[in-house]
Amino acid sequence: SLLYGCSDEENTLTEEVFLSVGETSLNFEQVASRREIEITSNVEYTIGLSEELADWCTAVRTEAGNLLVSLSENTDKNIRKGNIYIQAQKLTDTISVAQLGWGKAILLSTEVVNLDETGGTFDLDVTTNVEYTVDLSKVAWVRELPDVQTRTHEVVTTHHHFEFLANDGGSRQADIIVKDKDEMSDIEEAVLTVMQKGLDTYVPEA
C-alpha cells in the first residue's frame, strides 16, 4: 500500500516503510564471537541494546546496511541473555541474544513453533557444550530428517530439520525435548513446544 506525504511545494508519493530482520534469535558459544545479520529497510534504522547487554555485546551497522553483532568471551558459568532493538521509524523488531557460559547448558533457537494444519517442515538450531539427544517420544506426528542435519559455522550449534504430518483432527500440541546424553546430568532439559492447527480451526480466505 502507499502513503501520501505533503511537502511545502507539492504532494509527493512515498513508499510505506518496511523493515525485515534476517534472524531474531542469536545463540552463541562461550568464546568471543561475531555474526552479521541481514537487515532490509527503505529508511535508516536505529539500534538499541537492553541493559543486560551493556558490558559484553555491541551491535553496529555495516557499510552494506546489515547488523554486525559482537560478543566478548563469557567467563561466567551461567548463560547470559539480552535483546537488541531495531527501529525504522514506527516499526520495531527485537533480536534476542544468548551466550553460553563455561557451565553445561543447552540453548534452542526457538521455544515454540506454530504449525498450520497441512504437513510440512520446520527447523531448529541447538547450541550446546554437551553431547545431546533429541527426544521425539512425546510427539508421534513429527519426525527428524537426519540426512539434512548440519553443523553451522559455530562448532557448538547444530541445525535440525523436522517434518510434520497433516492434521485432519482437532488442534494438537506436543513437546520435543533436547537433553544431555549423560543420564546422570543435572542440567535442565530444553523443550520445544510444537502446536498445530486442526481442521476445526481453519479459517478460509475471504
Side-chain angles (χ1 to χ4, degrees), residues 35-37 39 45 47 59-60 65-69 84 86 95:
R35 194 178 306 171
E36 186 170 330
I37 309 303
I39 307 288
Y45 64 85
I47 305 165
V60 297
N66 293 329
L67 185 73
L68 182 62
V69 181
I84 299 172
I86 306 298
I95 303 173

Side-chain angles (χ1 to χ4, degrees), residues 20-32:
S20 174
V21 177
E23 295 180 72
T24 55
S25 176
L26 303 178
N27 291 335
F28 293 88
E29 56 187 314
Q30 180 195 2
V31 300

Side-chain angles (χ1 to χ4, degrees), residues 1-185:
S1 61
L2 297 174
L3 298 179
Y4 288 86
C6 185
S7 68
D8 292 338
E9 299 178 356
E10 60 181 348
N11 290 338
T12 57
L13 188 65
T14 58
E15 285 187 272
E16 185 173 354
V17 175
F18 66 83
L19 173 65
S20 174
V21 177
E23 295 180 72
T24 55
S25 176
L26 303 178
N27 291 335
F28 293 88
E29 56 187 314
Q30 180 195 2
V31 300
S33 309
R34 60 172 48 191
R35 194 178 306 171
E36 186 170 330
I37 309 303
E38 185 176 359
I39 307 288
T40 306
S41 182
N42 58 345
V43 297
E44 291 284 322
Y45 64 85
T46 58
I47 305 165
L49 302 180
S50 66
E51 293 181 4
E52 296 87 350
L53 299 181
D55 298 328
W56 53 277
C57 176
T58 61
V60 297
R61 184 187 177 105
T62 67
E63 289 185 5
N66 293 329
L67 185 73
L68 182 62
V69 181
S70 302
L71 276 64
S72 61
E73 180 181 2
N74 185 2
T75 57
D76 294 332
K77 177 181 180 180
N78 297 324
I79 295 168
R80 53 188 182 183
K81 298 180 179 181
N83 293 319
I84 299 172
Y85 305 105
I86 306 298
Q87 184 164 3
Q89 294 185 16
K90 293 183 178 181
L91 301 179
T92 302
D93 226 328
T94 301
I95 303 173
S96 61
V97 178
Q99 185 182 28
L100 294 172
W102 54 262
K104 293 181 178 181
I106 299 172
L107 288 170
L108 303 184
S109 55
T110 184
E111 295 180 347
V112 178
V113 175
N114 291 293
L115 309 171
D116 60 28
E117 66 280 355
T118 59
T121 61
F122 65 92
D123 299 315
L124 175 70
D125 287 340
V126 179
T127 301
T128 182
N129 46 18
V130 299
E131 292 290 322
Y132 67 91
T133 60
V134 178
D135 181 2
L136 292 169
S137 62
K138 295 186 177 182
V139 49
W141 41 276
V142 174
R143 73 182 183 97
E144 185 171 3
L145 303 176
D147 55 322
V148 294
Q149 182 183 121
T150 58
R151 286 187 175 271
T152 68
H153 54 282
E154 291 185 5
V155 296
V156 294
T157 299
T158 305
H159 183 74
H160 294 267
H161 194 52
F162 297 93
E163 179 181 50
F164 63 96
L165 302 178
N167 184 11
D168 57 4
S171 59
R172 55 190 178 184
Q173 175 178 325
D175 292 335
I176 295 174
I177 299 172
V178 182
K179 57 186 178 182
D180 194 339
K181 278 187 175 180
D182 180 4
E183 294 183 357
M184 303 300 292
S185 173

